């Protein structure tokens, strides 16, 4: 069933799009007539940008959930949001380490000496794509749209999982959210002292304390600008507009078959953006620069995203040249790679690969609100610690990912500010010690070989995993771990969207939970275990007062030795209470057909569609 997206069913908007494309063609033709250096036919045959004949076909391995920046929770839906909406800042495509650059902002922010005031100026002449909500008028982006969008994140009705990005940071915003909790209605017209609109193109943000990550936070997908008219026209009872994305970005959603297919066409009115990036230390960057420098972006006119759940089906589609850009997961790697490199037959076909270690932390958590496995009593801590020591992370990497991941000792992964490559966790694989610990605290084995609780009641863990083949493999590995210490495990398999919903309500007992950096700073990972972030990102629903106190202190510090010392203390506290076990960071391996030009996987941005090109001759 297709969605009721306004671009699909509103004739007025269809006409507007046709008119916009016609207008663009007329402008190109006039430019050709006025040129004295190139003939008319050369201009007409080669569109300056957004060539509709350049189609990028790609895949999502799980179904999307919807497209409202404030309400979207999952990685893949946010990839679509990143293409449709724009933020004040974004990331340099090639820079390493990751570097913030302006997107809709007209330059980098001016920061006061005390680090509490940011003045941001907006580029003029940026417009939302046409929509019935604008009543036929051309709608320009202003800083009021960002103020409105930031307020939506704090609206209790929407229950955004991104509240933590702004909570306790902007003067007056928390107070407005508190009033909404009492009244049941968020006053979007109320002025917030911390969001000062100097004029329609100038925003001054007043912080309650210095926040050294603010530019990175403003570059995150949830901080995209939406138009109030659009939200009010299409919002559901919860205040979200998940089916009607209208932004200022390079692409617009023109077709959506839920859970199956998304088609995005280039925005014909997208503001002029020229590809101009400098090379990093990566020798491949020079080739990308030679192919892309000076082009107006996007070059691609259409992106087709198909949802294909099964690993083998995704690879087969790529091998049959039905897909241009494809993420190769570790489970399929032996069919394509010899070690880290492409097999000769793929090299001969001109297949390209961009391979990085994701700035990712995958953890195994136990629900700290669960009556059997949660809590801070000694026997519960012993139970969780034993389960943590019973699991062989390296064996899981070998079986599930064919070795294409690295085990983590520290919660801040490689490539993220605050990472410590020399840290060693106090929790290591040791099933003998795990069994001894369970024996000591009264978890006795019965005649069937499985343990009971100290009071003699049955002990069973429910491991939740996705329905795809990867989820089944992970469940098998964990079943072996639990069998090794005599704990009965039952696996339940659910669709990804269901898992996310249950997880946010603290309804799952145990899950393997991956987190890829929203922004490349250690704070983005240490906040995963902060008590106030339960129902947002704290999926294990853990509250440890000692940890929370140190986390709040770390928020006041700039990156550096003093903050790193706090992070080390916090990590030891995590290990002491064993609310979770650190897992791994996977290799991200992106394969592309020979016709794809300039692709390089970015460690933070969800997609690179805006920065690449297609060779129509291949």
């Amino acid at each position: 069933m297709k969605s009721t997206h306004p671009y699909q069913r509103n004739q007025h908007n269809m006409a507007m799009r046709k008119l916009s494309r016609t207008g663009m063609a007329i402008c190109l033709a006039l430019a050709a007539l006025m040129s004295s250096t190139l003939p008319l036919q050369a201009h007409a045959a080669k569109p300056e940008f957004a060539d509709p004949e350049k189609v990028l076909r790609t895949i999502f391995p799980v179904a999307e959930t919807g497209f409202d920046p404030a309400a979207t929770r999952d990685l893949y839906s946010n990839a679509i949001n990143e293409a449709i909406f724009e933020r004040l800042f974004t990331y340099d495509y090639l820079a390493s380490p990751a570097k913030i650059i302006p997107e809709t902002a007209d330059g980098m922010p001016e920061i006061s000496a005390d680090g509490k005031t940011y003045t941001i100026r907006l580029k003029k002449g940026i417009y939302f794509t046409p929509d019935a909500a604008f009543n036929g008028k051309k709608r320009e982006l202003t800083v009021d749209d960002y103020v409105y969008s930031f307020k939506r994140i704090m609206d209790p009705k929407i229950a955004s999982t991104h509240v933590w990005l702004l909570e306790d940071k902007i003067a007056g915003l928390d107070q407005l959210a508190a009033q909404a909790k009492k009244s049941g209605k968020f006053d979007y017209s109320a002025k917030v002292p911390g969001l000062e609109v100097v004029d329609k193109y100038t925003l001054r943000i007043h912080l309650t304390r210095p926040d050294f990550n603010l530019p990175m936070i403003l570059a995150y997908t949830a901080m995209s600008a939406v138009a109030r008219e659009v939200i009010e026209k299409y919002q559901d009872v919860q205040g979200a507009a998940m089916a009607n994305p209208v932004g200022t970005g390079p692409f617009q959603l023109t077709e959506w078959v839920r859970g199956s297919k998304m088609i995005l066409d280039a925005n014909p009115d997208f503001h002029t953006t020229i590809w101009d990036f400098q090379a990093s230390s990566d020798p491949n960057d020079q080739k990308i620069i030679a192919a892309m420098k000076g082009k107006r972006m996007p070059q691609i006119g259409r992106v087709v995203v198909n949802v294909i759940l099964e690993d083998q089906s995704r690879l087969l589609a790529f091998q049959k040249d039905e897909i241009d850009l494809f993420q190769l997961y570790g489970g399929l790697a032996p069919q394509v790679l010899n070690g880290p490199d492409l097999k000769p037959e793929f090299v001969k076909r001109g297949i390209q690969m961009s391979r990085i270690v994701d700035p990712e932390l995958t953890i195994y958590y136990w629900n700290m609100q669960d009556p059997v496995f949660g809590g801070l009593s000694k026997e519960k801590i012993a139970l969780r610690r034993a389960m943590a020591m019973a699991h062989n992370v390296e064996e899981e990497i070998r079986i599930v990912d064919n070795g294409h991941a690295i085990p983590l000792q520290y919660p801040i992964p490689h490539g993220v500010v605050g990472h410590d490559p020399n840290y060693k966790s106090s929790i290591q694989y040791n099933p003998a010690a795990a069994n001894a610990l369970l024996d000591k605290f009264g978890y006795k084995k019965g005649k069937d070989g499985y343990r009971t609780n100290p009071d003699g009641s049955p002990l069973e863990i429910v491991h939740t995993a996705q329905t795809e083949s990867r989820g089944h493999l992970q469940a098998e590995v964990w079943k072996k771990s639990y069998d090794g210490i005599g704990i009965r495990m039952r696996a339940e398999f659910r669709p990804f969207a269901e898992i996310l919903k249950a997880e946010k309500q603290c309804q799952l007992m145990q899950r393997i939970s991956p987190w890829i950096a929203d922004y490349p700073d250690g704070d983005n990972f240490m906040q995963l275990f902060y008590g106030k972030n339960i129902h947002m990102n704290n999926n294990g629903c853990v509250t440890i007062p000692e940890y929370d106190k140190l986390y709040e202190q770390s928020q006041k510090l700039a990156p550096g030795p003093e903050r790193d010392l706090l992070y080390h203390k916090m990590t030891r506290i995590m290990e002491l209470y064993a609310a979770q076990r650190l897992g791994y960071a996977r290799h991200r391996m992106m394969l592309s057909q020979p016709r794809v030009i300039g692709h390089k996987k970015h460690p933070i941005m969800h997609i690179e569609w805006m920065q690449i090109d297609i060779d129509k001759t291949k």
Side-chain angles (χ1 to χ4, degrees):
M1 179 179 176
K2 292 184 180 180
S3 77
T4 55
H5 192 280
Y7 286 130
Q8 287 295 99
R9 58 185 176 85
N10 188 288
Q11 295 301 312
H12 169 73
N13 286 340
M14 291 291 288
M16 288 288 288
R17 287 206 309 281
K18 290 177 181 177
L19 182 61
S20 297
R21 291 193 177 104
T22 302
M24 184 174 72
I26 291 171
C27 290
L28 291 172
L30 286 173
L33 285 170
M34 295 171 66
S35 174
S36 60
T37 58
L38 290 174
L40 172 63
Q41 283 188 328
H43 279 273
K46 186 178 181 182
E48 181 188 3
F49 85 120
D51 185 345
E53 294 183 8
K54 293 180 177 179
V55 179
L56 179 73
R57 303 160 301 169
T58 189
I59 296 174
F60 284 174
V62 297
E64 76 296 336
T65 57
F67 315 113
D68 181 333
T72 302
R73 294 170 175 163
D74 64 288
L75 172 66
Y76 298 100
S77 299
N78 268 324
I80 300 294
N81 286 340
E82 193 168 282
I84 294 173
F85 301 97
E86 289 186 289
R87 294 137 299 281
L88 287 163
F89 303 100
T90 185
Y91 288 89
D92 185 296
Y93 183 45
L94 299 181
S96 181
K99 175 185 175 184
I100 292 287
I101 60 173
E103 187 163 67
T104 61
D106 191 12
M108 295 302 289
E110 297 174 10
I111 307 173
S112 63
D114 64 0
K116 294 172 65 176
T117 302
Y118 284 69
T119 301
I120 301 168
R121 291 175 175 82
L122 192 65
K123 294 174 185 174
K124 298 178 182 179
I126 298 176
Y127 294 90
F128 286 93
T129 54
D131 187 84
F134 303 135
N135 297 317
K137 297 178 181 178
K138 201 171 182 181
R139 173 65 159 78
E140 187 178 14
L141 175 72
T142 71
V143 295
D144 280 313
D145 297 309
Y146 283 104
V147 171
Y148 172 71
S149 301
F150 300 165
K151 287 178 178 177
R152 291 188 71 234
I153 290 174
M154 298 296 290
D155 187 342
K157 183 179 178 181
I158 296 173
S160 174
T161 57
H162 310 299
V163 168
W164 66 277
L165 292 168
L166 299 178
E167 195 172 39
D168 299 328
K169 293 181 181 179
I170 295 177
L173 189 55
D174 292 270
Q175 290 79 356
L176 188 61
Q179 291 172 12
K181 286 182 180 180
K182 291 180 180 179
S183 66
K185 185 176 181 180
F186 197 99
D187 184 0
Y188 283 99
S189 297
K191 289 187 177 181
V192 175
L195 296 172
E196 178 190 354
V197 177
V198 180
D199 57 51
K200 65 188 295 187
Y201 302 113
T202 308
L203 174 64
R204 191 164 287 134
I205 300 177
H206 301 280
L207 301 175
T208 57
R209 54 177 168 76
D211 187 338
F212 304 95
N213 292 325
L214 185 63
M216 288 188 285
I217 289 172
L218 295 176
Y220 180 53
T221 317
M223 308 301 286
S224 300
V226 299
R228 184 170 181 172
E229 306 97 303
V230 172
I231 300 300
E232 291 182 348
K233 181 175 178 64
Y234 301 115
Q235 66 186 349
D236 57 24
V237 293
Q238 200 172 349
M242 298 290 272
N244 303 85
V246 178
T248 63
F251 295 96
Q252 52 189 343
L253 184 68
T254 52
E255 183 176 338
W256 181 19
V257 183
R258 290 177 183 270
S260 177
K261 187 177 186 178
M262 289 141 278
I263 295 179
L264 297 95
D265 287 331
N267 175 4
D269 298 318
F270 186 62
H271 51 95
T272 300
T273 304
I274 305 299
W275 201 104
D276 186 20
F277 298 101
Q278 304 301 313
S280 69
S281 58
D282 185 346
N284 293 322
D285 286 0
Q286 293 295 345
K287 181 181 177 181
I288 294 174
I289 291 170
M292 297 300 301
K293 190 175 179 65
K295 291 182 179 181
R296 182 177 173 187
M297 307 306 291
Q299 283 289 303
I300 293 168
R302 170 168 284 192
V303 179
V304 179
V305 182
N306 286 290
V307 178
I308 303 178
L309 301 181
E310 289 303 318
D311 291 354
Q312 195 62 50
S313 298
R314 292 195 295 271
L315 179 58
L316 181 61
F318 182 79
Q319 290 176 315
K320 291 168 65 177
D321 200 13
E322 297 170 352
I323 297 298
D324 299 297
L325 188 62
F326 162 66
Q327 182 176 349
L328 177 71
Y329 287 94
L332 295 175
Q335 299 183 47
V336 180
L337 305 179
N338 283 328
D341 301 317
L342 288 168
K343 288 184 174 180
E345 56 265 37
F346 288 92
V347 175
K348 187 177 181 180
R349 286 175 50 193
I351 300 301
Q352 307 166 95
M353 180 172 69
S354 178
R355 183 176 185 265
I356 65 170
V357 177
D358 260 337
E360 175 192 52
L361 168 64
T362 292
I363 64 165
Y364 318 103
Y365 72 74
W366 294 277
N367 186 346
M368 288 291 281
Q369 295 184 4
D370 184 85
V372 175
F373 296 94
L376 302 181
S377 62
K378 289 182 179 180
E379 70 275 7
K380 299 296 181 64
I381 295 171
L383 173 60
R384 292 192 301 270
R385 192 171 183 86
M387 293 188 294
M389 290 191 296
H391 190 62
N392 190 334
V393 176
E394 293 186 356
E395 182 177 60
E396 180 185 338
I397 290 172
R398 179 179 58 79
I399 293 172
V400 179
D401 290 299
N402 284 293
H404 291 282
I406 57 172
L408 296 179
Q409 299 286 325
Y410 197 59
I412 301 172
H414 173 79
V416 175
V417 176
H419 172 67
D420 184 351
N422 299 314
Y423 185 93
K424 187 170 183 179
S425 173
S426 63
I427 296 180
Q428 300 291 329
Y429 174 59
N430 191 335
N435 274 299
L437 191 61
L438 292 172
D439 291 340
K440 179 179 178 179
F441 282 86
Y443 293 92
K444 297 178 181 179
K445 285 185 178 180
K447 293 181 180 179
D448 59 1
Y450 287 106
R451 297 181 184 272
T452 61
N453 284 305
D455 63 3
S457 62
L459 177 63
E460 181 185 65
I461 187 95
V462 179
H463 172 88
T464 303
Q466 290 173 220
T467 54
E468 294 78 39
S469 57
R470 178 181 177 84
H472 284 266
L473 272 177
Q474 289 173 324
E476 289 175 13
V477 173
W478 267 99
K479 178 70 164 56
K480 179 181 176 182
S481 297
Y482 284 123
D483 282 346
I485 54 173
I487 293 179
R488 191 185 305 275
M489 187 199 97
R490 175 167 58 88
E492 64 166 13
F493 301 97
R494 300 194 196 183
F496 182 58
E498 278 188 24
I499 289 175
L500 289 182
K501 185 177 180 180
E503 189 171 62
K504 300 309 175 189
Q505 300 303 316
C506 299
Q507 294 173 351
L508 302 184
M509 195 177 290
Q510 192 223 353
R511 181 188 171 225
I512 302 174
S513 179
W515 180 268
I516 297 177
D518 299 323
Y519 53 89
D521 184 81
D523 176 73
N524 191 231
F525 291 88
M526 303 308 283
Q527 60 86 24
L528 295 172
F529 316 104
Y530 180 47
K532 287 187 178 180
N533 287 353
I534 292 174
H535 306 308
M536 289 186 281
N537 305 321
N538 183 341
N539 294 332
C541 305
V542 54
T543 300
I544 300 174
E546 301 100 306
Y547 183 96
D548 290 353
K549 183 179 179 180
L550 292 177
Y551 177 74
E552 289 166 1
Q553 291 178 24
S554 75
Q555 288 264 286
K556 302 172 184 178
L557 299 174
E562 189 177 357
R563 193 183 71 163
D564 289 344
L565 180 60
L566 288 183
Y567 282 173
H568 279 74
K569 290 179 179 179
M570 292 157 65
T571 302
R572 290 301 184 198
I573 290 171
M574 289 165 52
E575 294 165 9
L576 174 65
Y577 289 99
Q580 60 281 313
R581 166 83 148 91
L582 299 184
Y584 50 83
R586 290 167 290 181
H587 293 134
R588 170 100 41 159
M589 299 169 286
M590 299 298 298
L591 302 184
S592 58
Q593 299 289 354
R595 69 182 68 88
V596 177
I597 301 171
H599 181 264
K600 179 180 181 178
K601 183 70 199 97
H602 193 275
I604 304 299
M605 294 191 297
H606 300 315
I607 53 169
E608 296 80 27
W609 307 338
M610 171 67 171
Q611 310 300 350
I612 63 178
D613 199 356
I614 295 286
D615 184 346
K616 296 189 295 183
T617 67
K618 292 184 179 180

